[in-house]
Amino acid sequence: MSALASGKLIAPAKVQGPVLALSEGLSFWGGVDPDTGHIRDAYHPACGESMAGRIVMMPTSRGSCTGSGVLLELALNGKAPAALIFRESEDILTLGALIAGRMFDRHLAVLRLPAESYEALAACSEAAIHDDRVEAEDLSIPLERVDASALELTAADRAMLDGQEGEAVQLAMEMICTMAASQGATALVDVTRGHIDGCIYASHANLRFAEAMLDLGARVRIPTTMNAISVDFGNWQAQGVDPAFGQPASRLAQAYVDMGARASFTCAPYLLDDAPTKGEAIAWAESNAVIYANSVLGARTVKHPDFLDLCIAMTGRAPMSGVYSDDARRARLIINVELPSGHNDAFWPMMGWVAGRLAPDCIPLIRGLEAAAPNEDDLKALCAAFGTTSAAPMLHVAGVTPEADNVALPDAREVTVGPADLLEAWTAFNQGGEQVELVAFGSPHFSIAECGKLAELLDGRQCKTGTTAIVTLGRDALAAVQADGTVERLKRAGVKVVADICWCSISEPVFPPEARNLMTNSGKYAHYAPGLSGRTVRFGSLAECAEAAVTGLAPKTPPTWLA
């Protein structure tokens, strides 16, 4: 057999099986059916393929931090890949595999291979993974096990790792140290606040993990907010949600509250009054929140996977890796944008989606938008859509974001984006028919300003019978727009306003069962909705979505600024 450069064995398991080599990364949340293991991301080249029992290779994962929980569910129901092999750094699925093995005795192998070894193995149809090597056809790739013993730990770290603060904290520190070693970190870093993404009821696995940690005595020790959950916490029974779903979903949220997390229930924690500041080291999960925090606020956080978010909140310590350091925040790609004349707010999610496709595994610097003057909601839409197509934890916008000056590496590649590229995004987002039964606002959660703009667009008008319009938002924002009368204005127009949940976790009957085609102004939801909801999608600006709510019809053609 021909030997190749050695790889890293992060999660050991002896497996043998067919190889499924994916040409691009995949978000398991929204992109993989947790019950079957089939790929359901409508935009992925391997859509429809089953990963169950196969040795799955991909450059890295992308998208939602909730992928950890989806992988754990696949492991618990016997539909997980036998192994995951990455070429680049990867945290989300890796952590899910580590939890599956450490807490539930469901082992799958996780490897990272250098490029030459990765490409050679990807050309093979079968492979076998052993404790010290991978064999396939005439290949033999040595493996070195990841070792956390060389980490520089403080006395307090060692006390937690030795179990002096209880079993839950010990388990949390074990996970942090293993992930740190797999990332190549040599030390840990103090963080000031956390944001929990694992409170979404993506599957029963999320509940099993949270309640197991609660039973072990887990408590957060730093201020910790919570992501949007899967039900309107106080109202799901009145909304007709099936108790078989509503009860475990609310139990999951309550478990994190019982562990000391704040019941903020928003996927946009940067909209809260106490948002992080520039240079502050934090530990957030939820992809759009991480990208916004790094890019727009200038705070520092790796895109932490579900489950590790709790571990870090329990210890106040995170691996000193990735974008916690200055060098890792540099741009490896420059995207020069030909800004279309007369563009509207729909430009920003489309731009984010295109930028993510161009930079699937690196941080980009976007130039050419200096005169566009994006507001906070524009940047929210940009970051959220970018997170659906890129694994990178941040982006830079020249003249707009706080770290964009001199951020590009000397050897950064350059590409150009023009109206034709944006039109391609618009076409991808608009696969549904003209008739619209549902208009979805709030992915990520609507801001106070967005609620006001929508109310202005709908003042004196009424949603069409047979077309439902729903705004999802955080409970802090809800309290504000209730106090200033905006909610009443929206309700007069026929809009439903729902707190705590967002579109990536909404379920029937809050999601109208009769709706077959929906429209949204969110690039994030336009990307995920076909796989998550099984419906077709239309996309447009806030004003176009408001018009669709009133008329029940989506525009037939792209906006004139893309023509």
Side-chain angles (χ1 to χ4, degrees):
M1 289 188 175
S2 58
L4 290 162
S6 63
K8 288 186 176 182
L9 179 61
I10 301 168
K14 294 181 180 180
V15 301
Q16 182 172 354
V19 172
L20 174 62
L22 304 181
S23 60
E24 60 184 61
L26 177 66
S27 172
F28 271 42
W29 171 244
V32 178
D33 187 325
D35 295 322
T36 67
H38 282 83
I39 297 172
R40 62 183 185 187
D41 181 342
Y43 300 100
H44 197 279
C47 184
E49 288 274 8
S50 172
M51 298 190 297
R54 301 171 80 172
I55 295 174
V56 175
M57 303 181 66
M58 66 179 82
T60 188
S61 66
R62 70 184 187 202
S64 175
C65 303
T66 307
S68 305
V70 175
L71 181 62
L72 179 57
E73 178 69 11
L74 291 167
L76 293 175
N77 67 22
K79 298 297 183 180
L84 291 167
I85 301 179
F86 304 106
R87 189 185 64 211
E88 311 294 339
S89 177
E90 199 287 330
D91 293 341
I92 294 172
L93 303 178
T94 299
L95 195 278
L98 290 172
I99 292 291
R102 173 65 173 79
M103 294 184 69
F104 301 101
D105 200 30
R106 302 295 179 93
H107 298 274
L108 58 149
V110 179
L111 286 64
R112 187 160 70 246
L113 301 180
E116 182 184 4
S117 300
Y118 179 95
E119 297 302 334
L121 183 62
C124 299
S125 58
E126 299 269 340
I129 300 172
H130 306 280
D131 287 337
D132 60 351
R133 69 194 185 282
V134 182
E135 292 182 347
E137 300 176 6
D138 63 342
L139 303 179
S140 180
I141 303 171
L143 295 176
E144 300 173 0
R145 186 168 297 199
V146 166
D147 182 9
S149 62
L151 277 174
E152 297 175 11
L153 300 178
T154 66
D157 293 335
R158 294 194 181 281
M160 289 188 279
L161 193 58
D162 291 342
Q164 295 180 29
E165 296 192 27
E167 187 177 355
V169 173
Q170 182 180 34
L171 175 59
M173 186 55 79
E174 285 178 9
M175 290 296 107
I176 291 168
C177 290
T178 301
M179 291 298 291
S182 76
Q183 295 164 354
T186 60
L188 307 182
V189 60
D190 285 327
V191 293
T192 57
R193 66 180 88 196
H195 183 69
I196 299 290
D197 186 62
C199 52
I200 296 174
Y201 188 64
S203 66
H204 193 66
N206 293 72
L207 178 60
R208 288 185 64 179
F209 169 81
E211 291 191 335
M213 292 298 286
L214 181 63
D215 289 344
L216 290 174
R219 293 283 299 179
V220 303
R221 70 175 66 199
I222 57 176
T224 301
T225 50
M226 290 174 63
N227 199 14
I229 57 175
S230 299
V231 290
D232 183 338
F233 192 70
N235 301 299
W236 64 267
Q237 295 99 329
Q239 293 167 343
V241 175
D242 186 346
F245 179 82
Q247 288 177 351
S250 58
R251 274 173 54 195
L252 175 61
Q254 188 63 53
Y256 281 104
V257 172
D258 291 345
M259 286 186 271
R262 172 183 169 188
S264 53
F265 300 157
T266 180
C267 54
Y270 42 83
L271 297 178
L272 300 173
D273 289 340
D274 57 345
T277 57
K278 184 178 179 181
E280 183 178 352
I282 62 175
W284 278 10
E286 214 300 324
S287 58
N288 100 85
V290 167
I291 295 167
Y292 192 98
N294 282 313
S295 307
V296 181
L297 302 180
R300 300 196 168 202
T301 177
V302 170
K303 189 164 69 173
H304 294 295
D306 286 12
F307 311 142
L308 195 67
D309 50 11
L310 175 63
C311 294
I312 296 171
M314 291 168 57
T315 62
R317 301 282 277 166
M320 180 59 188
S321 63
V323 290
Y324 284 118
S325 67
D326 292 339
D327 287 345
R329 299 171 76 86
R330 303 287 299 275
R332 289 166 43 199
L333 177 71
I334 298 171
I335 302 175
N336 297 302
V337 181
E338 299 171 2
L339 184 64
S341 176
H343 71 278
N344 58 26
D345 54 277
F347 165 79
W348 297 100
M350 287 191 285
M351 183 66 240
W353 193 80
V354 170
R357 289 173 68 86
L358 293 170
D361 56 4
C362 70
I363 295 170
L365 167 64
I366 303 174
R367 299 193 305 202
L369 306 182
E370 292 83 347
N375 59 36
E376 291 180 352
D377 293 321
D378 295 330
L379 295 173
K380 174 163 70 82
L382 175 79
C383 291
F386 176 77
T388 66
T389 49
S390 177
M394 67 182 299
L395 51 79
H396 302 282
V397 182
V400 176
T401 57
E403 299 175 44
D405 291 343
N406 302 313
V407 75
L409 291 165
D411 59 349
R413 295 185 300 111
E414 294 197 34
V415 296
T416 298
V417 167
D421 303 288
L422 298 169
L423 181 59
E424 182 180 350
W426 187 93
T427 302
F429 286 168
N430 281 273
Q431 296 296 310
E434 185 181 1
Q435 184 171 327
V436 173
E437 294 88 21
L438 171 65
V439 185
F441 300 101
S443 179
H445 272 164
F446 245 29
S447 68
I448 296 169
E450 286 175 306
C451 289
K453 290 176 184 175
L454 181 59
E456 289 177 11
L457 289 165
L458 293 175
D459 273 345
R461 310 175 79 193
Q462 197 69 29
C463 292
K464 182 180 176 62
T465 300
T467 300
T468 302
I470 301 176
V471 168
T472 65
L473 73 178
R475 47 179 53 189
D476 287 45
L478 175 60
V481 293
Q482 282 177 328
D484 69 12
T486 303
V487 167
E488 185 57 37
R489 292 165 63 195
L490 291 170
K491 287 183 176 179
R492 281 201 301 268
V495 177
K496 296 181 180 180
V497 180
V498 184
D500 298 350
I501 58 178
C502 87
W503 288 98
C504 286
S505 59
I506 201 168
S507 61
E508 296 180 2
V510 180
F511 186 112
E514 67 278 4
R516 304 263 59 87
N517 188 40
L518 66 90
M519 187 167 183
T520 183
N521 68 327
S522 164
K524 177 178 180 177
Y525 195 52
H527 179 94
Y528 286 134
L532 287 173
S533 72
R535 273 71 167 191
T536 53
V537 179
R538 296 300 298 267
F539 166 83
S541 67
L542 182 64
E544 288 170 331
C545 287
E547 192 67 21
V550 172
T551 64
L553 299 173
K556 293 181 179 179
T557 58
T560 55
W561 56 270
L562 276 183

